Amino acid sequence: MFRGNAWSILLLLIHGFLNVEYGVLMSAEADGFFFPIFNEAGAKVWDIRSSMALPSGDVMRLQDVHMQLFDEDGKAQIFIGGTETFLNLSTQEINGEEFIHVAGELFTALSTRWKIFGSDKRMVMDRDIRVFFEGVFDAAINGECTQGSDGRYTLITSAFLQISYDSKGVFFYFNDRAEIQSGNLEMTCDSLRVLNFPEKSWAAPNRSAGDRIRQKIDAVGNVSGFWRNRSFSANACEIYPKENVIVFSGNVRIGNGENIITGEKFILRGGLRPVIAPADGMEFPTSVLP
């Protein structure tokens, strides 16, 4: 039930449809707050629910918040929970400096400072970022894995993350130094992009045209790290967790301290029989999306 002026809350919701002025109307505390965000075509993009709303001019302070992001068919794709957020009614932007939990297909993201750009289906995080992706590259053998990895999830940390969603999938852009822990793999790079696709969209190396994967990781700039007892460095790499494949490119160095191989492009395959081989002549994956 509403507490205070129920008509003020009703007029706020009407604004989402009719674009009426509401700044002077919101003056009462609301209990059980709900607010939908629509795009220009009239389709619902987000909805926001909270246990308490405290108005202050154009901004609503929301407590115990639950948000949903919807696809073009009206299906909820991403779920967000937070302790306290601020909703700007005129710009339809949402931000907070308290803990937030973002969950979607194959991933969970955590942060303590973030902002959502409502109609753009986009959010950014820039503090205490930890993202867990289901599955790992080169799953640990006999229960052994790198420090910080539990053998079930790939953990990525960074100082900045942007998450965007469209009909092609969910895109994660770690635009600051990123660290990866995944099974037997530890890696750092200047920037990282993770593509999670709900449908078949990318082809992995040496796979037939009908074989597709749901996740691809691109690392760019000063790529370095360890895989089992080997160190590696390169300008860039592509990781296919489900296929246990990494493709290194540009000034590649892979070795174990005594033996080092160098070149412009190498492919690494994990699993029970790991393989490192030159990738010359290999047909590399390309996007099948327009």
Side-chain angles (χ1 to χ4, degrees):
M1 296 295 295
F2 291 132
R3 203 166 56 225
N5 192 340
W7 283 105
S8 296
I9 303 301
L10 178 60
L11 290 172
L12 169 65
L13 297 180
I14 292 175
H15 168 79
F17 297 93
L18 303 180
N19 197 31
V20 299
E21 293 297 328
Y22 52 78
V24 298
L25 299 176
M26 288 304 300
S27 59
E29 178 181 305
D31 193 3
F33 179 83
F34 172 79
F35 187 77
I37 295 178
F38 299 87
N39 61 19
E40 294 180 354
K44 185 165 69 170
V45 179
W46 295 88
D47 68 27
I48 308 166
R49 302 173 187 271
S50 73
S51 62
M52 185 69 65
L54 305 172
S56 177
D58 228 18
V59 176
M60 298 290 293
R61 179 183 175 187
L62 309 178
Q63 297 176 345
D64 187 21
V65 181
H66 300 275
M67 293 172 275
Q68 298 180 95
L69 170 65
F70 297 87
D71 63 13
E72 288 75 7
D73 298 323
K75 179 181 178 181
Q77 294 293 305
I78 295 177
F79 303 87
I80 300 174
T83 54
E84 181 177 88
T85 67
F86 294 87
L87 166 64
N88 188 308
L89 298 169
S90 60
T91 65
Q92 296 189 340
E93 295 177 352
I94 313 152
N95 67 85
E97 295 196 8
E98 300 287 343
F99 175 78
I100 190 173
H101 176 273
V102 183
E105 188 173 13
L106 301 179
F107 80 91
T108 297
L110 311 174
S111 181
T112 59
R113 188 166 62 194
W114 51 275
K115 185 174 184 178
I116 292 174
F117 301 85
S119 59
D120 290 343
K121 293 188 175 183
R122 177 170 61 95
M123 69 181 302
V124 298
M125 304 175 178
D126 64 0
R127 189 172 66 195
D128 301 327
I129 299 167
R130 297 170 65 86
V131 184
F132 298 85
F133 293 96
E134 293 184 23
V136 297
F137 171 80
D138 192 22
I141 300 174
N142 297 327
E144 297 180 358
C145 57
T146 59
Q147 184 177 0
S149 173
D150 67 357
R152 296 176 298 164
Y153 300 96
T154 293
L155 169 62
I156 301 178
T157 59
S158 180
F160 183 90
L161 169 63
Q162 175 176 284
I163 303 176
S164 61
Y165 175 85
D166 62 23
S167 60
K168 302 170 185 176
V170 186
F171 300 78
F172 303 81
Y173 297 94
F174 298 86
N175 294 334
D176 206 328
R177 190 73 175 166
E179 299 182 4
I180 302 175
Q181 296 173 337
S182 180
N184 285 303
L185 176 71
E186 292 183 82
M187 188 178 78
T188 61
C189 60
D190 289 343
S191 64
L192 189 73
R193 181 176 68 165
V194 180
L195 314 179
N196 269 13
F197 293 96
E199 303 294 341
K200 300 176 180 179
S201 303
W202 288 81
N206 285 358
R207 305 292 290 184
S208 66
D211 292 331
R212 304 293 180 180
I213 59 176
R214 298 170 66 99
Q215 190 178 84
K216 179 176 183 282
I217 301 173
D218 293 315
V220 178
N222 296 307
V223 175
S224 63
F226 295 90
W227 171 68
R228 299 192 178 183
N229 64 338
R230 298 172 176 86
S231 64
F232 59 81
S233 63
N235 292 343
C237 76
E238 302 170 358
I239 303 176
Y240 301 85
K242 183 178 178 181
E243 302 292 333
N244 257 351
V245 169
I246 299 181
V247 180
F248 294 103
S249 59
N251 299 316
V252 182
R253 292 174 60 89
I254 302 175
N256 59 6
E258 298 178 357
N259 301 311
I260 298 177
I261 57 175
T262 62
E264 284 302 304
K265 196 163 286 188
F266 284 88
I267 183 168
L268 184 156
R269 296 186 183 278
L272 295 177
R273 295 183 179 180
V275 174
I276 300 175
D280 294 342
M282 175 180 293
E283 183 178 351
F284 289 97
T286 56
S287 173
V288 298
L289 298 174

